[in-house]
Amino acid sequence: MGMIEYRDYADIKKILEFYISKNNNQVVADLLSFYFFDEIIHIEEENGFFKLYWKNDDVQNMDEVIDIFQAHYIYLGGQIEKIKVVNMDRREYIVIKMFRMEHRDIRRSLGLPNSHPIVSSSADFFSELRYIKNNKVYQCIINDMPFFSVVLTHKPGPNIEYTTDFLRFMNLIDIEEQVESIKSDAKNTNKYDYMKISNMGNSLRVLLERALKFYNINLNSNYITTANYKKKTLNQLEQDVKKNNTNMDKLIEQKKRWIMNDYSHDSGSRPNLNDIEMLADYIINILYAMAEDL
């Protein structure tokens, strides 16, 4: 499997536009929630906020489109963190990872008043809003979770079950890569560089939290909403994983959580470089168990 990552906004826009063009607009967007856009035809970007358009005024039978969807323009929107171009099984995919956005930030990005309604659907990992601009109705689907939740591929594409599993796999790979990067960095870190060691320990805790959230969401799509995403503690996440999978009870250790807690707060304890490799291996073992279960 070949894979190239891009983060620069200009590069991302060029790659998405080129991919759509070279496939003659025959590009489908499958979402982690089993939702899909059967034809992406246009890309816009402003300050990192991307709009991937499905339908616009240029399509035929516009009156029919408006009757069915109650909108002139329909697009998938959000702040893109990065994309990965993946070549696998003689097919090219582009997977898209977006940041989670607070509703106030969504409204600000679209120039809408703070009172403008946004409807969240935790089961779909996306929120939806409609607004009128220049006498046209826009329907915007906004990503709610900070994961790889969109995959683009050319038609005819694989079924939605395949691409959903592919996105799950890509998310676990992404977290593992970040954990491995921290582990590798630790090998070249001075044992007296306490601030750097503390930051690495805190980063590992954040990555474990994200992995546990992702795992729990895939077992129960209503587990986390965009409103309470930040409120789940590591202890809560671990306990909920154990409820969903008794095999995790053997892997998740309270002692490891205590160590990570020290790195996430001003504990006053001496940071230990050996902790970083130990915690990284601990998280990777959990990721492997998740991959077997999802």
Side-chain angles (χ1 to χ4, degrees), residues 3 15 17 22 24 34 40 42 57 60 76 110 115 120 124 128 130 133 169 184 200-201 250 265-266 270 275:
M3 190 158 47
I15 289 166
E17 288 176 335
K22 79 172 186 177
N24 300 313
F34 292 97
I40 299 295
H42 178 61
D57 270 343
Q60 297 177 350
L76 175 67
L110 297 174
S115 59
S120 293
D124 290 333
E128 180 180 332
R130 292 173 184 270
K133 183 178 179 181
F169 169 75
S184 177
M200 288 190 290
K250 303 172 184 177
H265 307 287
D266 181 19
R270 178 176 68 87
D275 287 344

Side-chain angles (χ1 to χ4, degrees), residues 11 45 60 68-69 81 85 99 106 111 119 129 131 139 170 183-185 238 248 261 281:
D11 289 342
E45 181 272 328
Q60 297 177 350
I68 296 173
F69 300 104
E81 176 187 343
V85 179
F99 292 104
I106 296 171
V119 179
L129 69 155
Y131 59 93
Q139 179 183 347
M170 289 302 302
K183 181 180 176 181
S184 177
D185 193 20
E238 289 179 342
M248 286 291 186
N261 284 344
D281 290 338

